[in-house]
Amino acid sequence: MTLIDVIVLEGASAASVAITFELIGAANGIRARAGRPHCFDVRISGSGARWATGLTKLSSKQVAGRTADVVIVPGLAWIDEQLIREGLHRRDAEAARKYLKAAFRSGAEIASSCSAVFLVASSGLLDGRHATTTWWLAPLFRSLFPKVLLDTDAMVLTDGSITTAGAAMAQLDLMLSIISRHAGPDLAESCARFLLLDQRQSQSRYMALSYLAAADEKISRAERWACARLHRTFSISDLAKAVGLGARTFARRCERVTGLSPVRFVQKLRVDKAMDLLETTRLSLDEIAERIGYADPSTLRRLLNRERAGVRASRGIRKQENGAAPSRPTGTSSAAKRQRRASHGRKRSKTA
């Protein structure tokens, strides 16, 4: 039976902790109802262990002599730079780092989400690896851990035996990926259906570029300049020149601040505007494409699909066509697909 050790620090996200144990309980419960033994043992450690045990009301077995197979650090309530910097210097954070490194050396898989990824990164275990974290903390993460290959477009990323996930609710996706690897994709799919979870492969459609861009005055100006001209076709060189930067300098600053290339930056602005028009107007997709600078509507459709916004887009289109809000879809895609990594190779072009 797979032993999961959940490290809970004082002040951890109650939602993330609860999700962790909800999914473990669901997996064991589904197995029990099928007349099969549980697939997971669980142990709770860390400075918030007593609180977590009371919150989850799930038995925490102290399995003597056993090394954990998986160590999970649920999301922490470190939502801004000050809390993160203070949190990383806490004594319980230092103890958690030592435990994570020891567990990793013993062959355990490490998993974390949201700001807890900062804790794992501070141990050095993520150096040279691909990882993700909550999108609005990306600029700070890059400055603190430049050796980590950060990709905030992904909801869940596995690199070797370390898995990371995005913002707090991405703990759902993280747990399903763990269940799939250690108990099988069929059980992960059953858990997803049991809890009515939708497939979410990317954080990009939830990302607010204005929030990220505000961290850099030039990128913030670029966002405003581009938003005022989305109905036109303009080059990245035009955009860089408008904010007083060379194209290469602008590209470096844009990627450092937002995690996106300049082309993806502008495309994201266009897609966000398209989604707003789909949901708030009765304009056709062709008319919307023209309003955001795309003469060919197929370009917009391709971008909507790439941004994993197809569900919301189709809802908006159906609303236009039917004059009423559609019912919520109930299907769930295969859990095995949740483990696909987001592509790290991004093509660059001169226009967006």
Side-chain angles (χ1 to χ4, degrees), residues 11-32:
S13 164
S16 189
V17 172
I19 286 168
T20 301
F21 291 103
E22 185 72 26
L23 268 295
I24 293 172
N28 283 340
I30 290 171
R31 288 278 291 256

Side-chain angles (χ1 to χ4, degrees), residues 56-118:
T56 63
K57 298 179 181 179
L58 184 69
S59 174
S60 175
K61 297 181 179 180
Q62 298 299 323
V63 185
R66 283 190 60 189
T67 300
D69 300 296
V70 183
V71 178
I72 299 173
V73 190
L76 301 166
W78 299 348
I79 58 174
D80 58 35
E81 180 174 352
Q82 181 179 346
L83 289 173
I84 288 171
R85 291 185 182 277
E86 291 174 353
L88 291 176
H89 285 90
R90 284 167 31 179
R91 288 185 178 181
D92 57 350
E94 177 58 28
R97 275 191 291 272
K98 291 180 180 178
Y99 178 74
L100 286 168
K101 288 189 283 188
F104 183 76
R105 287 194 298 268
S106 298
E109 176 182 339
I110 308 298
S112 63
S113 68
C114 199
S115 52
V117 180
F118 282 77

Side-chain angles (χ1 to χ4, degrees), residues 28-240:
N28 283 340
I30 290 171
R31 288 278 291 256
R33 283 189 289 274
R36 302 177 65 192
H38 287 182
C39 44
F40 297 114
D41 272 336
V42 64
R43 184 168 62 208
I44 306 176
S45 58
S47 57
R50 179 177 297 182
W51 166 80
T53 302
L55 173 71
T56 63
K57 298 179 181 179
L58 184 69
S59 174
S60 175
K61 297 181 179 180
Q62 298 299 323
V63 185
R66 283 190 60 189
T67 300
D69 300 296
V70 183
V71 178
I72 299 173
V73 190
L76 301 166
W78 299 348
I79 58 174
D80 58 35
E81 180 174 352
Q82 181 179 346
L83 289 173
I84 288 171
R85 291 185 182 277
E86 291 174 353
L88 291 176
H89 285 90
R90 284 167 31 179
R91 288 185 178 181
D92 57 350
E94 177 58 28
R97 275 191 291 272
K98 291 180 180 178
Y99 178 74
L100 286 168
K101 288 189 283 188
F104 183 76
R105 287 194 298 268
S106 298
E109 176 182 339
I110 308 298
S112 63
S113 68
C114 199
S115 52
V117 180
F118 282 77
L119 178 63
V120 177
S122 70
S123 71
L125 294 177
L126 285 175
D127 288 356
R129 296 178 183 270
H130 293 99
T132 188
T133 187
T134 186
W135 60 266
W136 72 82
L137 294 174
L140 175 62
F141 190 96
R142 289 190 176 92
S143 68
L144 291 178
F145 310 112
K147 294 181 181 180
V148 181
L149 307 175
L150 188 67
D151 180 4
T152 51
D153 195 36
M155 189 71 75
V156 178
L157 268 177
T158 298
D159 191 328
S161 57
I162 300 182
T163 301
T164 54
M169 292 301 104
Q171 187 74 10
L172 288 164
D173 308 85
L174 178 72
M175 292 306 301
L176 287 171
S177 73
I178 290 171
I179 292 169
S180 181
R181 280 195 299 280
H182 292 274
D186 289 343
L187 182 58
E189 177 69 16
S190 295
C191 289
R193 292 183 181 278
F194 180 71
L195 297 172
L196 299 180
L197 303 180
D198 293 328
Q199 182 186 29
R200 305 173 305 161
Q201 292 183 327
S202 172
Q203 293 189 92
S204 62
R205 68 186 176 106
Y206 306 104
M207 187 182 295
L209 283 187
S210 58
Y211 186 100
L212 296 175
D216 186 301
E217 187 269 337
K218 293 286 189 180
I219 303 304
S220 184
R221 282 177 54 192
E223 183 208 11
R224 295 193 298 272
W225 188 92
C227 283
R229 295 163 178 80
L230 292 181
H231 58 288
R232 304 178 187 173
T233 297
F234 53 84
S235 70
I236 298 303
S237 295
D238 293 336
L239 178 55

